[in-house]
Amino acid sequence: MAIHRRRHHHHNTHNRFRYLIPAISVISAAILILYGFISLLAPSPDHPHHLVRRKTSDDDSLLVHSLFKVPISGGMGNDRSLWNTRMSKFYFGCSNASNKFPKVETVTYPNRYLLIATSGGLNQQRTGITDAVVAARILNATLVVPKLDQKSFWKDASTFSEIFDVDWFISHLSRDVKVIKELPKKGGKIWTPYNMRVPRKCNERCYQIRVLPVLLKKHAVQLSKFDYRLSNKLETDLQKLRCRVNYHALRFTDPINKMGQKLVNQMRKMGKHYVALHLRFEPDMLAFSGCYYGGGEKERKELGKIRKRWKTLHSNNPDKERRQGRCPLTPEEVGLMLRALGYSKDVHLYVASGEVYGGDDTLAPLRALFPNIHSKDTIAPKEELEPFSSFSSRMAALDFIVCDESDVFVTNNNGNMAKILAGRRRYFGHKPTIRPNAKKLYRLFLNRENTTWEEFSSRVRTHQRGFMGEPKEVRPGRGEFHENPATCICEDPEAKSKLESLPRKFGKNNLIDPTDESLVPDQDTENESEPLDQDQDEDDDLIGPQFQHLVNDTSLDDDPLISELPELEELLSD
């Protein structure tokens, strides 16, 4: 009987399994069909943030559904307000000398020769060349064409005449400073100048106290490591001389200009407008900054090894550096900022950058946001770039030209190229120059998974006020003179009365013409406006302690006998 019951139970179990297997198959098929249907409705790869990885440790992560979805198209790529700065038509570059500025022949003393040995990469050297002319004028000396740095981090053997048009340089400055190509011989023999160095931010009195007595005794003096050796605060005519040098006398050689213009023309063929991005996301830059981007132990070891190159750098708290806005944005974050500002995904992007940390994997999110990404190497034949490719300064000069000619320039750090181009673009019509407000944007990027795209883009536009290259965006005296040449920017006589009659919508310094529809602020952001001065007061905080010697320090300007600040590698040059 027991055996019969066991057989009956086994028979019933077998019947249940016989019906269960088809049921499981039907359910599995239904799940697969449902999954396929959901996949069709899910966002395309153009929505790279539909699923966001929330870091829980270096080794594990959790996929979290996010409200944050970048629109497939969206943006206002053809909106004219994206390609012009507000009220720029009322401002223009002006650098002519006043009637009080004596002619060169009346102030240049015989047997006084000033030589300059520049420091760093192309743009750091450019600041040195510009200031060298002014230093020669202060000392009433003849300037010998500056020597370019050939031994620093960049290791470029190019001479001045291989980068810049030396004859144009000499002739254009002939009314301001006497410039010669070589130091004359002394008694038929080569004359070795006396070598010395001046402090950073050295003002007129500083040069007269420190250099002039030596020059009177030795007659030929060479100032070495000449970068940022001149105060930001000088009398108006000397400031304007700086501008005449930087924006008019310093002209690239014909081969560089022609190749640069070819690159610009190629970008113009692809679309009506283009954006140039100085990405500055190379391994050495990230190592130097001491920032961390979530790459775990591998990233810490790789960047830590590079960081050992600079023995003067102290250890940073990476999280604090990011919170304080002292780290370059990732390529993805730069792309999100631009999309939020209104630039559509079909905009063509020229990327001026060396080796990007993480390579194609790091660039992939930016490429998803802006598929039309270009560089020198992608738009020019290899054989055309070959004469330049072995020289870092000449390659940097090509990027400089394309960035300068761009409709919009975006800088991802506040190094020398960014400063020089920002000032130049202000001088020549206030062409839009976007500098990320990294301190404010960091918080947005950190919490974006819980934010809708509309909220995110609204906040980005709010935080970027005062960081877009607008006229009078930076108060006179703030930042390096090369970045903010306020003395050399004049205001149209009619502008002041027009500006004063306009309502103040964006805080006390940022004004809008209510008759220009393209300038009306987004309704979502108007109520969130913040005083421009608030962000500008934090401007010095955007750069870490290791970068402070590159930022204007008025206390240094006021002391003509300042001591030498620690020297660092010229990494921030380009």
Side-chain angles (χ1 to χ4, degrees):
M1 191 72 178
I3 293 172
H4 177 73
R5 281 198 301 269
R6 282 197 300 271
R7 284 178 178 174
H8 182 72
H9 176 73
H10 176 75
H11 179 73
N12 289 340
T13 302
H14 176 75
N15 285 341
R16 283 198 298 271
F17 273 106
R18 188 176 66 183
Y19 291 114
L20 183 61
I21 292 171
I24 292 172
S25 300
V26 170
I27 292 170
S28 299
I31 290 172
L32 286 172
I33 292 170
L34 180 62
Y35 179 78
F37 181 70
I38 291 173
S39 298
L40 290 174
L41 296 178
S44 71
D46 289 319
H47 300 270
H49 308 282
H50 177 58
L51 292 177
V52 178
R53 287 193 179 274
R54 177 182 293 157
K55 277 288 188 185
T56 54
S57 73
D58 283 341
D59 300 314
D60 64 333
S61 59
L62 178 67
L63 285 177
V64 181
H65 280 273
S66 172
L67 296 171
F68 188 79
K69 298 179 182 68
V70 183
I72 294 176
S73 54
M76 302 169 286
N78 294 320
D79 186 336
R80 67 189 179 93
S81 66
L82 293 174
W83 308 105
N84 297 284
T85 51
R86 302 180 183 101
M87 310 304 289
S88 61
K89 60 186 176 182
F90 295 114
Y91 299 89
F92 57 94
C94 56
S95 58
N96 290 337
S98 73
N99 295 330
K100 298 178 182 178
F101 198 58
K103 293 181 179 180
V104 64
E105 54 268 18
T106 64
V107 297
T108 305
Y109 286 79
N111 217 19
R112 280 191 200 179
Y113 297 97
L114 182 68
L115 297 88
I116 298 294
T118 61
S119 179
L122 174 68
N123 294 290
Q124 188 167 334
Q125 292 184 85
R126 190 181 186 113
T127 65
I129 294 165
T130 298
D131 291 347
V133 175
V134 180
R137 177 76 190 205
I138 291 171
L139 296 167
N140 303 120
T142 295
L143 177 69
V144 180
V145 168
K147 292 180 182 178
L148 300 191
D149 186 351
Q150 299 176 337
K151 297 179 181 179
S152 71
F153 177 84
W154 305 99
K155 293 181 173 59
D156 189 317
S158 300
T159 63
F160 185 100
S161 60
E162 289 171 320
I163 303 290
F164 302 105
D165 186 334
V166 65
D167 292 325
W168 172 263
F169 180 76
I170 293 172
S171 63
H172 194 80
L173 293 172
S174 60
R175 289 180 292 182
D176 298 308
V177 173
K178 184 179 179 182
V179 184
I180 58 176
K181 292 183 180 179
E182 294 179 348
L183 184 65
K185 291 184 179 181
K186 187 177 183 181
K189 297 180 181 179
I190 295 176
W191 191 354
T192 302
Y194 180 83
N195 194 68
M196 64 180 293
R197 196 182 296 184
V198 293
R200 290 177 184 268
K201 311 289 187 180
C202 199
N203 61 21
E204 295 169 70
R205 181 165 172 260
C206 171
Y207 275 91
Q208 290 162 357
I209 292 173
R210 294 206 173 208
V211 184
L212 186 57
V214 181
L215 189 59
L216 292 174
K217 183 178 180 181
K218 302 291 185 179
H219 303 297
V221 170
Q222 176 171 286
L223 303 179
S224 60
K225 274 289 201 180
F226 198 80
D227 61 327
Y228 294 95
R229 304 288 163 174
L230 189 61
S231 169
N232 281 315
K233 296 179 179 180
L234 299 172
E235 62 174 69
T236 299
D237 268 320
L238 292 178
Q239 297 287 56
K240 286 182 177 290
L241 175 56
R242 256 180 170 159
C243 296
R244 290 198 294 280
V245 180
N246 201 358
Y247 306 134
H248 300 285
L250 273 178
R251 190 166 73 179
F252 292 122
T253 59
D254 283 345
I256 291 175
N257 267 328
K258 288 177 181 177
M259 188 66 228
Q261 202 56 52
K262 277 187 179 181
L263 297 174
V264 172
N265 293 341
Q266 283 296 105
M267 292 301 299
R268 294 280 178 222
K269 287 178 183 177
M270 298 174 192
K272 185 178 179 182
H273 303 288
Y274 74 90
V275 175
L277 166 61
H278 191 214
L279 192 54
R280 212 61 180 98
F281 207 72
E282 295 93 341
D284 48 16
M285 180 63 192
L286 301 188
F288 189 78
S289 68
C291 299
Y292 174 68
Y293 292 91
E297 194 60 28
K298 181 175 181 287
E299 178 185 325
R300 290 192 180 96
K301 284 183 177 179
E302 288 175 345
L303 299 184
K305 185 176 180 181
I306 299 172
R307 189 172 172 80
K308 290 178 182 177
R309 180 188 303 156
W310 301 286
K311 296 178 182 178
T312 55
L313 294 185
H314 56 75
S315 298
N316 293 340
N317 179 332
D319 291 335
K320 182 179 179 181
E321 295 298 301
R322 287 277 278 172
R323 285 197 306 273
Q324 294 298 318
R326 293 169 181 161
C327 298
L329 302 187
T330 67
E332 177 185 34
E333 289 168 346
V334 173
L336 288 172
M337 176 191 71
L338 288 174
R339 289 292 297 272
L341 287 172
Y343 296 95
S344 61
K345 67 176 291 183
D346 60 351
V347 165
H348 288 264
L349 220 60
Y350 178 89
V351 176
S353 177
E355 172 196 0
V356 174
Y357 182 68
D360 290 339
D361 289 342
T362 303
L363 283 174
L366 176 62
R367 201 176 296 277
L369 294 162
F370 291 96
N372 301 314
I373 293 180
H374 314 279
S375 66
K376 294 186 297 291
D377 299 318
T378 63
I379 62 176
K382 187 176 180 180
E383 57 271 17
E384 289 189 6
L385 286 176
E386 193 170 353
F388 310 92
S389 58
S390 299
F391 304 94
S392 61
S393 289
R394 299 181 208 186
M395 293 292 273
L398 296 179
D399 276 340
F400 185 97
I401 292 170
V402 183
C403 291
D404 186 36
E405 293 285 336
S406 66
D407 300 283
V408 175
F409 174 59
V410 184
T411 171
N412 196 24
N413 84 309
N414 206 32
N416 292 296
M417 181 171 172
K419 290 176 181 177
I420 290 286
L421 277 171
R424 184 178 176 86
R425 290 170 70 87
R426 284 189 173 104
Y427 183 83
F428 289 108
H430 284 89
K431 293 187 289 184
T433 301
I434 300 174
R435 179 165 60 93
N437 184 352
K439 188 172 184 178
K440 295 289 185 68
L441 293 179
Y442 166 74
R443 299 162 197 165
L444 274 180
F445 292 133
L446 187 67
N447 300 311
R448 70 179 185 262
E449 64 193 61
N450 297 318
T451 308
T452 66
W453 174 253
E454 290 72 20
E455 293 169 331
F456 176 83
S457 57
S458 173
R459 295 299 295 171
V460 167
R461 291 194 295 272
T462 297
H463 294 331
Q464 282 302 119
R465 291 171 186 161
F467 292 79
M468 303 292 286
E470 299 284 350
K472 293 194 174 181
E473 189 178 71
V474 183
R475 295 195 302 274
R478 296 284 300 210
E480 292 291 346
F481 181 80
H482 300 287
E483 180 183 11
N484 181 33
T487 309
C488 302
I489 296 174
C490 294
E491 190 174 349
D492 188 291
E494 298 178 5
K496 191 172 183 180
S497 58
K498 184 173 179 66
L499 284 170
E500 288 175 349
S501 68
L502 297 179
R504 299 175 181 267
K505 290 190 177 183
F506 281 177
K508 61 183 179 182
N509 286 336
N510 216 349
L511 303 176
I512 280 189
D513 181 354
T515 64
D516 189 343
E517 293 181 0
S518 68
L519 304 183
V520 176
D522 188 289
Q523 291 182 351
D524 294 334
T525 65
E526 189 169 1
N527 294 328
E528 299 172 349
S529 62
E530 301 171 355
L532 183 64
D533 284 349
Q534 178 179 336
D535 284 337
Q536 288 301 323
D537 286 341
E538 296 170 347
D539 192 38
D540 289 345
D541 294 332
L542 299 178
I543 303 172
Q546 65 267 45
F547 303 111
Q548 284 300 325
H549 70 287
L550 296 181
V551 182
N552 179 36
D553 187 334
T554 54
S555 64
L556 295 179
D557 281 353
D558 293 336
D559 184 0
L561 301 178
I562 54 176
S563 60
E564 184 63 28
L565 295 177
E567 297 292 348
L568 295 174
E569 288 281 356
E570 295 80 3
L571 179 64
L572 295 181
S573 294
D574 297 300

